[in-house]
């Protein structure tokens, strides 16, 4: 008999290192969004899934089931072999907890491999996630890192995390830096994947006294952060990091490495060029064509990003703390001392 478990039960099992989640959907579905930490052992390849889907539309469910069985029966030895490599308890799931996960669990059971099945599939887990996110009451205080573009905010988050401080890197969860150029060299995720990852991070840091995040807009690339989280961010302590322009340019070039994707940078530039003075827009285009990315970044900071940032960071003085440093390393030292003075050393 197949044992079905609910989404909340699955999350509890996920926190146990002796448990594996197996997504039996096609590789493309898995790549689009899956439950964090899952492995993919698909019943059908992308092409096979398309074939079965076409038959379903043209001839109906019975014909689709027959074709699916024909395809899957040939793959059974490999499918079983992959599951035998798993030496801990496993839960299988598909999109709606339907035929694919039921078939997988049934076949595995017949071979003496007992697995559980997620009731309602990834769709049910998504509904549970959204409900938890909407009702979430975050206990820790937020420390929000702000600064002009290139001030090393993401670098600081990584360094703080390495020192053991609690951090939520929203840009990393979104696969996007939050700017018009932010997708370049990254893999932006959809809202489902972001929500899954965000809830896990929130639950992970819930017992901390404080958490560092970066000052982000409500929308980061393709995704949107929850209203309550955005409001908490706006009402929290705002930490401003000030670095010299030349250091900011260096940080941007190290992060974006525009020479690796010059055409994508040109495409992104064309989206904002109408917002710039005509002469500056022309000059920027020339620097991009010449692959002079240092000059390109300097002009973008001066005539676009810095003015946008000034407009979007109007907070009461009582809410702000500022650090001026010559580089990220110095800013990190100041920030760690500031936190230690408030909460003690980590």
């Amino acid at each position: 008999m197949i044992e079905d478990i609910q989404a909340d039960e699955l999350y509890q099992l996920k926190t146990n290192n002796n448990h594996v989640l197996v997504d039996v959907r096609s590789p493309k579905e898995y790549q689009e969004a899956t439950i964090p930490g899952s492995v993919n052992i698909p019943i059908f390849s992308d092409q096979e899934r398309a074939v079965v889907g076409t038959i379903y539309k043209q001839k109906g469910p019975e014909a689709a089931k027959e074709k699916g069985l024909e395809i899957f029966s040939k793959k059974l030895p490999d499918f079983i072999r992959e599951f035998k490599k798993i030496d801990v308890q496993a839960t299988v799931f598909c999109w709606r907890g339907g035929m694919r996960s039921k078939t997988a669990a049934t076949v595995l059971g017949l071979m003496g491999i007992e697995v559980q099945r997620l009731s309602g599939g990834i769709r049910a887990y998504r509904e549970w996630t959204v409900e938890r996110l909407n009702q979430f009451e975050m206990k820790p205080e937020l420390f929000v890192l702000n600064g002009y573009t290139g001030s090393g905010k993401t670098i600081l988050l990584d360094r703080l995390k390495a020192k053991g401080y609690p951090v939520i890197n929203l840009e990393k969860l979104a696969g996007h830096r939050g700017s018009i150029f932010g997708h370049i060299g990254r893999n932006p995720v959809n809202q489902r994947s972001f929500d899954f990852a965000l809830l896990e991070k929130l639950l992970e840091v819930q017992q901390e006294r404080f958490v560092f995040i970066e000052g982000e807009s409500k929308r980061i690339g393709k995704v949107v952060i929850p209203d309550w989280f955005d409001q908490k961010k706006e009402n929290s302590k705002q930490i401003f990091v000030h670095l010299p322009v030349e250091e900011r340019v260096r940080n941007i070039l190290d992060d974006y490495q525009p020479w690796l994707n010059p055409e994508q940078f040109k495409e992104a530039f064309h989206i904002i060029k109408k917002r710039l003075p005509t002469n500056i827009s022309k000059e920027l285009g020339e620097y991009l064509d010449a692959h002079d990315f240092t000059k390109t970044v300097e002009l973008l900071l001066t005539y676009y990003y810095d003015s946008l940032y000034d407009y979007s960071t109007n907070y009461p003085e009582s809410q702000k703390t500022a650090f001026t440093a010559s580089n990220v390393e110095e800013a990190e030292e100041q920030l760690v001392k500031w936190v230690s003075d408030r909460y003690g050393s980590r």
Side-chain angles (χ1 to χ4, degrees):
M1 182 177 176
I2 300 173
E3 180 186 356
D4 281 1
I5 62 172
Q6 304 302 312
D8 57 341
E9 296 176 277
L10 179 63
Y11 177 77
Q12 294 303 318
L13 289 170
K14 265 170 51 62
T15 60
N16 182 344
N17 291 329
N18 294 317
H19 194 86
V20 171
L21 279 66
V22 182
D23 188 337
V24 298
R25 299 176 303 152
S26 68
K28 182 179 179 181
E29 291 173 287
Y30 175 76
Q31 290 166 9
E32 287 175 349
T34 193
I35 299 172
S38 303
V39 298
N40 186 212
I41 305 179
I43 284 182
F44 299 131
S45 68
D46 296 330
Q47 185 177 9
E48 290 164 347
R49 176 173 173 258
V51 168
V52 173
T54 299
I55 292 174
Y56 183 92
K57 291 177 182 177
Q58 294 178 347
K59 299 182 179 180
E62 290 305 316
K65 287 178 185 178
E66 289 179 10
K67 184 62 177 179
L69 182 60
E70 176 190 333
I71 294 172
F72 185 49
S73 62
K74 298 175 183 177
K75 305 169 67 170
L76 269 177
D78 289 338
F79 188 78
I80 299 297
R81 194 175 299 117
E82 287 300 308
F83 271 90
K84 283 186 175 180
K85 295 177 183 178
I86 300 173
D87 57 1
V88 295
Q89 184 184 27
T91 296
V92 297
F93 65 91
C94 58
W95 172 234
R96 290 179 294 188
M99 285 300 299
R100 285 182 287 180
S101 60
K102 184 177 181 180
T103 299
T106 301
V107 168
L108 291 167
L110 290 173
M111 297 301 296
I113 304 173
E114 298 299 327
V115 297
Q116 298 169 315
R117 185 175 71 141
L118 175 61
S119 178
I122 194 173
R123 187 170 70 170
Y125 195 83
R126 160 74 169 155
E127 291 171 354
W128 174 80
T129 297
V130 171
E131 183 179 358
R132 286 295 305 270
L133 275 178
N134 289 339
Q135 298 175 356
F136 204 87
E137 294 184 11
M138 190 176 187
K139 297 176 182 178
E141 184 178 2
L142 285 183
F143 294 153
V144 187
L145 296 184
N146 296 278
Y148 286 120
T149 302
S151 294
K153 301 180 290 295
T154 301
I155 301 172
L156 284 170
L157 287 182
D158 289 341
R159 287 170 175 258
L160 289 166
K161 183 178 179 181
K163 280 183 162 61
Y165 290 99
V167 163
I168 296 179
N169 189 332
L170 295 169
E171 290 186 359
K172 184 176 181 180
L173 299 185
H176 198 287
R177 300 180 188 85
S179 71
I180 202 72
F181 300 91
H183 64 288
I184 299 174
R186 298 289 176 88
N187 294 306
V189 305
N190 56 29
Q191 191 69 46
R192 262 184 298 163
S193 293
F194 179 75
D195 288 345
F196 289 152
L198 178 59
L199 178 61
E200 295 210 351
K201 290 300 296 183
L202 289 170
L203 291 169
E204 179 184 313
V205 302
Q206 183 69 332
Q207 302 308 316
E208 300 284 355
R209 292 175 295 175
F210 61 86
V211 177
F212 283 101
I213 66 169
E214 186 174 339
E216 301 286 353
S217 301
K218 183 172 173 57
R219 176 175 290 278
I220 309 171
K222 296 179 179 180
V223 304
V224 177
I225 64 176
D227 288 340
W228 68 263
F229 191 89
D230 185 56
Q231 193 61 47
K232 184 177 177 72
K233 171 179 67 70
E234 290 300 299
N235 293 331
S236 296
K237 189 69 175 178
Q238 306 293 322
I239 301 170
F240 290 83
V241 179
H242 300 291
L243 297 184
V245 171
E246 60 271 18
E247 190 70 14
R248 292 164 53 205
V249 171
R250 188 178 299 112
N251 289 335
I252 291 170
L253 292 175
D254 286 346
D255 182 18
Y256 284 81
Q257 300 183 28
W259 49 86
L260 298 179
N261 300 285
E263 293 307 314
Q264 285 184 279
F265 272 84
K266 288 181 183 179
E267 291 171 8
F269 166 64
H270 282 293
I271 296 174
I272 63 170
K273 65 184 298 184
K274 291 183 179 179
R275 307 175 196 173
L276 298 165
T278 303
N279 60 322
I280 299 300
S281 177
K282 183 175 182 295
E283 193 174 358
L284 268 167
E286 292 171 351
Y287 284 136
L288 275 172
D289 287 338
H291 288 194
D292 188 338
F293 298 112
T294 298
K295 286 292 186 182
T296 298
V297 171
E298 288 175 354
L299 284 178
L300 281 171
L301 292 180
T302 302
Y303 291 97
Y304 185 70
Y305 282 108
D306 286 4
S307 59
L308 280 179
Y309 183 79
D310 287 336
Y311 177 77
S312 64
T313 53
N314 186 22
Y315 297 99
E317 289 301 316
S318 60
Q319 199 178 337
K320 297 192 293 187
T321 293
F323 298 107
T324 300
S326 58
N327 53 44
V328 174
E329 290 76 14
E330 189 178 311
E332 179 191 1
E333 291 176 5
Q334 295 181 33
L335 189 53
V336 168
K337 183 180 184 305
W338 179 81
V339 177
S340 297
D341 289 343
R342 293 171 69 102
Y343 290 99
S345 58
R346 195 71 177 174

